[in-house]
């Protein structure tokens, strides 16, 4: 296993924290499950996008940073789509 990877339990905990931070930054109202989902998926999305630019984060702190960035992006994208439907 890679030294810079995090375990699934750590990913859930850090994802929940990242989702909560993104929720506070973006001023959105979401529950714990959505925070975990946004944090974990956001970390994967942000890591992929940043790796294209040649930037990589390692460890738990890097996963948290990527999770916050990615979750904020996902919240912004979901607001764009919800705004178009209304």
């Amino acid at each position: 296993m890679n030294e810079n990877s995090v375990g699934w339990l750590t990913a859930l905990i850090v994802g929940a924290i990242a989702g909560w931070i993104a929720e506070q930054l973006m001023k959105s109202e979401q529950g714990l499950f959505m925070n975990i989902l946004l944090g974990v998926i956001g970390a994967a999305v942000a890591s992929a996008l940043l790796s294209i630019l040649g930037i990589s984060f390692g460890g738990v702190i890097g996963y948290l940073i990527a999770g916050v960035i990615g979750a904020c992006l996902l919240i912004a994208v979901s607001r764009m789509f919800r705004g178009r439907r209304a």
Side-chain angles (χ1 to χ4, degrees), residues 6 17 22 26 32-33 36 38 48 52-53 65 71 74:
V6 294
I17 294 168
M26 299 294 287
L32 177 64
F33 178 73
I36 294 171
L38 284 173
I52 292 171
L53 299 173
I65 293 168
L74 291 176

Side-chain angles (χ1 to χ4, degrees), residues 12-72:
L12 290 178
I13 293 169
V14 173
I17 294 168
W20 179 80
I21 292 170
E23 177 185 52
Q24 299 303 309
L25 290 173
M26 299 294 287
K27 302 210 185 321
S28 65
E29 301 276 335
Q30 299 174 15
L32 177 64
F33 178 73
M34 237 5 223
N35 286 344
I36 294 171
L37 194 64
L38 284 173
V40 172
I41 294 174
V45 168
S47 294
L49 291 175
L50 292 172
S51 69
I52 292 171
L53 299 173
I55 302 169
S56 66
F57 294 116
V60 175
I61 300 298
Y63 191 80
L64 179 66
I65 293 168
V68 170
I69 293 169
C72 286

